[in-house]
């Protein structure tokens, strides 16, 4: 898929039924791998300690009733019929909800937002509610926009949900693979089993993470068949157990059995809810992976196949357990004990493959959400490798991959049983769901413009269910639930410190930007020698001149004849259309040859490589010059209105009738195009030319400006970066000093540099250091 054009397929949702069914089939391997493997460990975790199976079967029937209604109310009702509708232009997940709120209430944590960003096609989404916002919604929006504390709380809430998703990326592979491998206990003695189970699980996990850099596109075609085979397998076994052992098990689907269960087991039954909770692990993936599919395809896959297969699987296990009381020991309550003996080895193989697929989905999701956080300055810069040139969104992050592998191995070796792994995984899952419920209540009021009564009903109904499970998981804090808390806290500190440092750095640059009058006083030559070439000065500022530019001018003996203040920023939308990618404007009069170019990316956009980016950048500036946009006036008052003078210019592929650039000697049809050529070079180098449309005509001044830009491009491009060091001001609190001097600086030194984020060749980079006291 072309990264620039293919990512918008979700905006044109008029697919045929064949396409929808194909997407539904493919979603099995990507979305439902984790959810479909939950029968491996739900009953085993539930009966691990808090409750025991008795002759009356009240316990097993009560657990089955809880499992059925939890599956029905949370994944089916909440996610399939409500949350999936809260997509952000086709994208889902915690950051999608936060992005929607940022655009509808202006509570974005990004400091360099512009009014021009609100003109993006995908910035505003059509409201699903009434056209007039309720009075409460208006007051809520105003309150959020006025109080920075509430904006920070909203950011913290989104980060907590994100960190718990990352924590789940550690726990899900561990419990899924370990539970699948646990089927070996029926083929060997318990003495040998405990020495084989953990090493085999660790080998599978190491192999899983070691193969991540190849990407999922090479084996992705196998994912859906594996999960489909697994779902058919567990549903067939479940149906067999129902018919063979207890055909009346369907009666346990009545909510009355939940009441009888809690009445008999009391505190033990309440504490066992932490194990029952595992039946919905992976439900969040339906929303998080929405960008790769469509709402209808995910709904069809869940309602027609996944949901019925899971219900049959749980009913089958309950039917088997209800007719086997002579086992007498809780460890024998599990998935494999209900599998016919002749089928255990084939089922074991399929279970291991399904566990690997489920683990792969959550690992890929973790990579994706970290990329989103990094785009929005909420995570340090990391190396992002796109493993597929055709399928958008398949990425690999080496540093995160090895961190996840080490943590997965530590959890597997440290716990060595599904009970504590289940406690940890359940706490992470329910925490993410609570965050989603809170954010959804705001989306209902602010984005959908529904009555506050609807939002309150949503929170009370689903919040009560999730709070019940959360309290049961919290009780198991010392028995494994502390792990996701520790993981989330570690990632949260990293993310918040990085975000805080990035905000403070931007605020310092904004407060200390250079006056336009100082620039104009230097004259067109800027007081130094102007040599051939283009200098791209990277800055985070979207208006004004960064303070580091004065540092360049006073310390460098010469500067390039064309200077471009380049700002690469993220906006709170998933994707920015190619035709709206660039904002181009002038700084000062024409003869200064100073331009500002703001390159806008969505939080899920793919950044192009350096050569393609450079060509798009040059063509956007050339198109701006050709369009005859007015030059910037010289008053400092007009500098604050710079947004109004900037022109939206697309990439080369979006204006075929505009200026194109050629770096080879192929001949063009002179009747259609005119060429602006550079003079013959004195030394051998690549020839550059702009191909200008025949109409409209351009004047001599514009032609000279294009000629100079082309000559500068032919001479070469240099990236000029400011390498800033930050120190807290004297008198700052110890917390601020620790966050800036130690936390942020440590992360900055050990993360990727700005030149890597821009895909800048090292030979074309000039870095100048400065110290900021914030």
């Amino acid at each position: 898929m072309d990264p620039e054009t293919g990512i918008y397929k979700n905006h044109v949702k008029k697919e045929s039924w064949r396409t929808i069914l194909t997407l539904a089939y493919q979603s099995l391997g990507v979305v439902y791998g984790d959810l479909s493997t939950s029968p491996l460990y739900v009953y085993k975790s539930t009966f691990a300690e808090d409750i025991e199976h008795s002759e009356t079967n009240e316990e097993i029937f009560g657990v089955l009733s809880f499992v059925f209604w939890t599956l029905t109310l949370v994944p089916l009702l909440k996610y399939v019929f409500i949350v999936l509708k809260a997509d952000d232009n086709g994208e889902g997940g915690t950051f999608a909800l936060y992005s929607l709120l940022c655009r509808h209430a202006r509570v974005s944590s990004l400091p360099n937002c512009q009014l021009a960003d609100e003109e993006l096609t995908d910035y505003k989404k059509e409201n699903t509610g009434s056209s007039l916002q309720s009075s409460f919604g208006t007051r809520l929006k105003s309150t959020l926009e006025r109080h920075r504390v509430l904006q920070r709380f909203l950011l913290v809430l989104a980060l907590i949900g994100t960190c718990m998703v990352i924590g789940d990326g550690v726990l899900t592979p561990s419990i899924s693979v370990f539970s699948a491998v646990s089927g070996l206990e029926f083929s060997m003695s318990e003495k040998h089993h405990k020495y084989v189970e953990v090493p085999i699980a660790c080998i599978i996990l190491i192999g899983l993470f070691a193969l991540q850099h190849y990407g999922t596109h090479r084996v992705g075609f196998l994912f859906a068949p594996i999960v489909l085979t697994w779902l058919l397998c567990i549903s067939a076994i479940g149906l067999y157990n129902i018919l063979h052992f207890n055909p009346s098990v369907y009666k346990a689907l009545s909510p009355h059995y939940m009441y009888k269960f809690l009445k008999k087991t009391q505190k033990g039954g309440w504490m066992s809810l932490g194990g029952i909770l595992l039946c919905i692990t992976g439900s969040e993936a339906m929303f998080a992976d929405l960008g790769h599919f469509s709402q209808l395809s995910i709904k069809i896959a869940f309602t027609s196949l996944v949901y019925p297969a899971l219900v049959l699987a749980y009913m089958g296990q309950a039917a088997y357990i209800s007719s086997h009381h002579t086992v007498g020991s809780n460890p024998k309550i599990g998935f494999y004990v209900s599998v016919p003996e002749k089928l255990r080895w084939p089922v074991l193989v399929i279970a291991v493959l399904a566990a690997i697929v489920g683990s792969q989905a959550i690992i890929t999701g973790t990579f994706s959400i970290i990329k989103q956080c990094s785009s929005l300055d909420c995570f340090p810069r990391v190396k992002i490798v796109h493993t597929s040139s055709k399928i958008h969104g398949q990425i690999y992050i080496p540093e995160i991959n090895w961190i996840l592998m080490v943590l997965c191995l530590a959890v597997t070796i440290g716990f060595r049983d599904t009970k504590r792994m289940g406690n940890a995984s359940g706490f992470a899952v329910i925490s993410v769901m609570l965050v989603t419920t809170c954010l959804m209540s705001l989306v209902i009021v602010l984005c959908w413009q529904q009555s506050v009564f609807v939002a309150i009903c949503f929170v009370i109904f689903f919040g009560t269910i999730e709070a019940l499970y959360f309290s049961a998981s919290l009780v198991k804090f010392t028995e494994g639930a502390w792990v996701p808390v520790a993981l989330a806290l570690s990632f949260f500190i990293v993310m918040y410190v990085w975000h805080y440092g990035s905000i403070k750095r931007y605020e310092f640059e904004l407060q200390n930007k250079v006056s336009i009058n100082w620039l104009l006083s230097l004259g067109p030559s800027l007081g130094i020698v102007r040599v051939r070439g283009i200098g791209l000065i990277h800055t985070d500022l979207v208006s004004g001149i960064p303070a580091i530019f004065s540092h360049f001018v006073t310390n460098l003996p010469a500067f390039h004849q064309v200077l471009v203040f380049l700002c690469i920023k993220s906006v709170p939308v998933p994707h920015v259309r190619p035709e709206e990618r660039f904002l181009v404007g002038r700084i000062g009069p024409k003869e200064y040859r100073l331009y500002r170019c703001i390159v806008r990316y969505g939080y899920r956009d793919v950044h192009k490589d350096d050569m393609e980016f450079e060509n798009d950048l040059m063509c956007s500036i050339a198109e701006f010059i050709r369009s005859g946009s007015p030059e910037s006036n010289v008053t400092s008052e007009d500098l604050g209105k710079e947004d109004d003078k900037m022109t939206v210019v697309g990439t080369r592929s979006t204006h075929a009738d505009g200026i194109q650039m050629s770096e080879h000697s192929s001949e063009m049809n002179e009747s259609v195009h005119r060429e602006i050529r550079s003079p013959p070079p004195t030394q051998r180098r690549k020839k550059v030319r702009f191909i200008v449309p025949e109409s409209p005509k351009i004047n001599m001044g514009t032609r000279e400006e294009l000629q100079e830009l082309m000559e500068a491009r032919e001479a070469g491009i240099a990236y000029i970066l400011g390498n800033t060091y930050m120190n807290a001001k004297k008198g700052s609190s110890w917390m601020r000093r620790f966050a800036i001097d130690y936390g942020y600086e440590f992360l900055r030194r050990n993360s990727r540099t700005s030149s890597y984020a821009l895909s800048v060749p090292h030979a074309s980079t000039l870095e100048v250091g400065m110290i900021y006291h914030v």
Side-chain angles (χ1 to χ4, degrees):
M1 184 184 299
D2 185 357
E4 281 287 10
T5 58
I7 56 179
Y8 301 102
K9 68 181 181 69
N10 283 334
H11 297 288
V12 185
K13 292 291 185 181
K14 297 180 180 178
E15 300 118 328
S16 65
W17 276 106
R18 182 177 179 180
T19 304
I20 291 172
L21 293 177
T22 301
L23 288 174
Y25 170 72
Q26 293 173 345
S27 70
L28 293 176
V30 177
V31 177
Y32 298 110
D34 186 13
L35 183 62
S36 65
T37 55
S38 57
L40 287 170
Y41 43 79
V42 169
Y43 283 127
K44 189 172 183 178
S45 299
T46 304
F47 286 92
E49 184 178 75
D50 302 309
I51 56 176
E52 294 182 358
H53 180 43
S54 67
E55 296 282 345
T56 62
N57 287 328
E58 289 183 348
E59 293 84 4
I60 186 62
F61 288 164
V63 170
L64 174 60
S65 185
F66 264 105
V67 168
F68 172 75
W69 286 105
T70 304
L71 275 173
T72 303
L73 295 177
V74 179
L76 184 61
L77 181 59
K78 177 186 173 182
Y79 281 94
V80 170
F81 290 108
I82 301 177
V83 176
L84 283 182
K85 295 181 180 179
D87 66 296
D88 182 13
N89 295 298
E91 300 293 337
T94 305
F95 260 93
L97 295 177
Y98 180 68
S99 174
L100 277 176
L101 294 172
C102 287
R103 301 205 303 274
H104 284 80
R106 292 188 182 178
V107 293
S108 175
S109 59
L110 296 174
N112 53 359
C113 295
Q114 299 172 277
L115 290 176
D117 297 338
E118 299 183 14
E119 302 300 322
L120 290 170
T121 303
D122 296 329
Y123 193 90
K124 285 295 183 185
K125 183 179 177 182
E126 290 186 9
N127 298 314
T128 56
S130 59
S131 58
L132 297 177
Q133 196 170 41
S134 65
S135 58
F136 178 83
T138 304
R139 291 198 302 270
L140 178 61
K141 176 182 177 182
S142 176
T143 302
L144 287 173
E145 291 177 346
R146 284 200 316 268
H147 297 87
R148 292 292 298 271
V149 174
L150 296 178
Q151 296 174 19
R152 290 196 188 100
F153 175 77
L154 202 60
L155 174 64
V156 167
L157 191 63
L159 291 182
I160 289 174
T162 302
C163 292
M164 283 297 178
V165 171
I166 298 173
D168 195 29
V170 173
L171 298 167
T172 293
S174 301
I175 190 173
S176 297
V177 173
F178 189 86
S179 299
V181 173
S182 66
L184 293 171
E185 66 181 331
F186 294 97
S187 61
M188 62 183 67
S189 64
E190 185 177 350
K191 178 180 178 181
H192 293 93
H193 172 255
K194 64 181 181 180
Y195 294 109
V196 173
E197 189 177 33
V198 173
I200 291 179
C202 290
I203 290 172
I204 293 174
L205 288 172
I206 291 173
L208 176 64
F209 284 100
L211 295 175
Q212 288 299 312
H213 69 281
Y214 290 109
T216 58
H217 65 286
R218 299 181 188 275
V219 293
F221 67 95
L222 293 175
F223 286 1
I226 288 173
V227 176
L228 177 61
T229 304
W230 169 252
L231 289 171
L232 294 176
C233 176
I234 61 175
S235 58
I237 293 173
L239 187 60
Y240 168 81
N241 287 333
I242 293 171
L243 298 176
H244 192 264
F245 294 109
N246 191 350
S248 62
V249 73
Y250 70 90
K251 296 179 181 179
L253 302 182
S254 169
H256 178 64
Y257 282 87
M258 290 192 290
Y259 170 75
K260 292 174 65 176
F261 170 76
L262 292 176
K263 183 179 179 181
K264 180 178 180 180
T265 57
Q266 297 183 358
K267 183 180 178 181
W270 166 65
M271 295 178 67
S272 70
L273 293 179
I276 298 173
L277 165 65
L278 297 177
C279 72
I280 54 174
T281 179
S283 300
E284 187 75 21
M286 286 191 289
F287 186 45
D289 293 327
L290 181 60
H292 299 292
F293 304 98
S294 64
Q295 290 185 29
L296 187 56
S297 63
I298 290 179
K299 289 178 180 180
I300 290 175
F302 184 78
T303 56
S304 63
L305 182 59
V306 179
Y307 178 74
L310 290 176
V311 171
L312 284 175
Y314 288 117
M315 288 178 66
Q317 289 186 59
Y320 179 89
I321 295 170
S322 66
S323 61
H324 290 75
H325 302 282
T326 57
V327 176
S329 58
N330 288 333
K332 292 299 182 182
I333 294 180
F335 172 76
Y336 287 105
V337 72
S338 65
V339 177
E341 189 173 352
K342 293 181 179 180
L343 297 177
R344 280 176 183 164
W345 274 107
V347 171
L348 173 64
V349 173
I350 299 173
V352 171
L353 292 175
I356 291 174
V357 171
S359 302
Q360 175 64 56
I362 192 67
I363 292 169
T364 304
T366 303
F367 291 158
S368 179
I369 202 167
I370 286 178
K371 178 186 178 295
Q372 295 177 25
C373 293
S374 182
S375 299
L376 297 176
D377 272 341
C378 291
F379 200 87
R381 290 182 291 267
V382 290
K383 181 180 181 179
I384 297 175
V385 179
H386 293 272
T387 58
S388 174
S389 59
K390 297 180 180 179
I391 304 176
H392 173 74
Q394 290 194 359
I395 60 175
Y396 166 68
I397 305 178
E399 299 96 329
I400 301 301
N401 182 67
W402 302 122
I403 291 174
L404 290 179
M405 187 190 77
V406 171
L407 293 175
C408 278
L409 293 176
V411 169
T412 304
I413 296 172
F415 284 161
R416 297 191 297 277
D417 66 80
T418 55
K419 173 195 163 187
R420 287 181 292 178
M421 289 185 191
N423 293 337
S425 181
F427 188 87
V429 168
I430 199 63
S431 298
V432 176
M433 290 183 175
L434 278 171
V435 170
T436 300
T437 299
C438 295
L439 294 177
M440 269 300 302
S441 63
L442 294 176
V443 169
I444 289 172
V445 175
L446 297 177
C447 305
W448 292 355
Q449 298 182 1
Q450 296 292 328
S451 167
V452 65
F453 177 75
V454 176
I456 292 174
C457 290
F458 179 85
V459 170
I460 291 177
F461 185 76
F462 293 107
T464 301
I465 297 172
E466 291 161 0
L468 179 65
Y469 282 114
F470 181 81
S471 62
S473 297
L474 194 60
V475 173
K476 304 293 183 67
F477 185 82
T478 58
E479 300 176 30
W482 61 270
V483 172
V485 176
L487 291 173
L489 183 62
S490 301
F491 279 101
F492 177 80
I493 291 174
V494 169
M495 295 166 74
Y496 196 82
V497 166
W498 181 263
H499 181 72
Y500 177 78
S502 301
I503 293 292
K504 291 302 175 183
R505 184 186 64 186
Y506 182 85
E507 290 177 351
F508 180 88
E509 292 180 353
L510 189 63
Q511 294 169 2
N512 294 272
K513 62 184 180 181
V514 177
S515 167
I516 185 67
N517 294 324
W518 172 83
L519 179 70
L520 297 175
S521 66
L522 298 177
S525 67
L526 301 181
I528 53 178
V529 178
R530 303 287 290 270
V531 297
R532 291 189 67 190
I534 296 176
L536 298 181
I537 303 174
H538 181 253
T539 175
D540 291 329
L541 296 178
V542 294
S543 63
I545 301 169
I548 203 164
F549 178 70
S550 62
H551 194 64
F552 292 149
V553 171
T554 55
N555 287 275
L556 297 177
F559 233 84
H560 302 85
Q561 68 183 105
V562 175
L563 291 177
V564 180
F565 290 90
L566 177 66
C567 173
I568 298 180
K569 57 179 282 190
S570 293
V571 291
V573 294
H575 305 287
V576 174
R577 296 172 183 261
E579 59 267 24
E580 300 172 325
R581 177 77 68 209
F582 295 96
L583 274 176
V584 186
R586 295 186 194 277
I587 299 179
K590 276 188 178 182
E591 58 268 20
Y592 279 61
R593 300 297 189 255
L594 297 177
Y595 306 95
R596 181 183 307 284
C597 186
I598 299 172
V599 189
R600 301 178 291 184
Y601 286 99
Y603 57 78
R604 296 205 62 169
D605 272 331
V606 178
H607 290 223
K608 291 187 173 183
D609 58 51
D610 56 312
M611 287 305 299
E612 190 174 1
F613 173 77
E614 287 178 2
N615 291 338
D616 277 345
L617 179 64
M618 290 302 103
C619 283
S620 67
I621 296 175
E623 186 65 25
F624 166 78
I625 295 172
R626 185 183 74 93
S627 65
S629 298
E631 63 184 85
S632 178
N633 293 330
V634 298
T635 62
S636 58
E637 294 180 359
D638 289 340
L639 190 61
K641 303 177 182 178
E642 193 173 342
D643 284 357
D644 299 333
K645 301 173 183 176
M646 302 195 75
T647 303
V648 177
V649 183
T651 59
R652 289 175 298 163
S653 60
T654 62
H655 49 81
D657 57 341
I659 290 183
Q660 301 293 321
M661 189 172 70
S662 174
E663 293 184 311
H664 51 82
S665 58
S666 60
E667 296 298 327
M668 301 297 295
N669 188 348
E670 291 291 336
S671 63
V672 179
H673 295 90
R674 291 170 295 162
E675 298 179 1
I676 297 182
R677 299 175 179 266
S678 58
T682 57
Q683 58 183 1
R684 185 177 182 84
R685 58 173 176 250
K686 185 179 291 186
K687 188 173 180 60
V688 178
R689 63 185 179 186
F690 285 132
I691 303 171
V692 185
E694 186 68 27
S695 177
K697 299 290 185 181
I698 57 176
N699 58 39
M700 186 58 64
T702 301
R703 177 175 287 274
E704 290 176 357
E705 192 173 0
L706 287 172
Q707 177 83 29
E708 189 170 344
L709 177 65
M710 183 186 54
E711 293 174 6
R713 172 67 180 91
E714 194 172 71
I717 295 178
Y719 288 81
I720 304 168
L721 309 174
N723 197 356
T724 57
Y725 300 86
M726 294 207 310
N727 290 325
K729 293 179 180 178
K730 291 183 178 180
S732 301
S733 64
W734 68 269
M735 187 176 294
R736 179 168 180 159
R737 289 200 306 273
F738 179 82
I740 297 295
D741 296 349
Y742 300 100
Y744 180 79
E745 279 302 303
F746 173 81
L747 294 174
R748 187 190 61 81
R749 290 191 180 99
N750 290 278
S751 62
R752 301 284 173 169
T753 61
S754 300
S755 60
Y756 176 81
L758 295 174
S759 299
V760 179
H762 292 290
S764 304
T765 305
L766 173 64
E767 293 194 34
V768 179
M770 285 189 69
I771 298 178
Y772 290 170
H773 297 280
V774 298

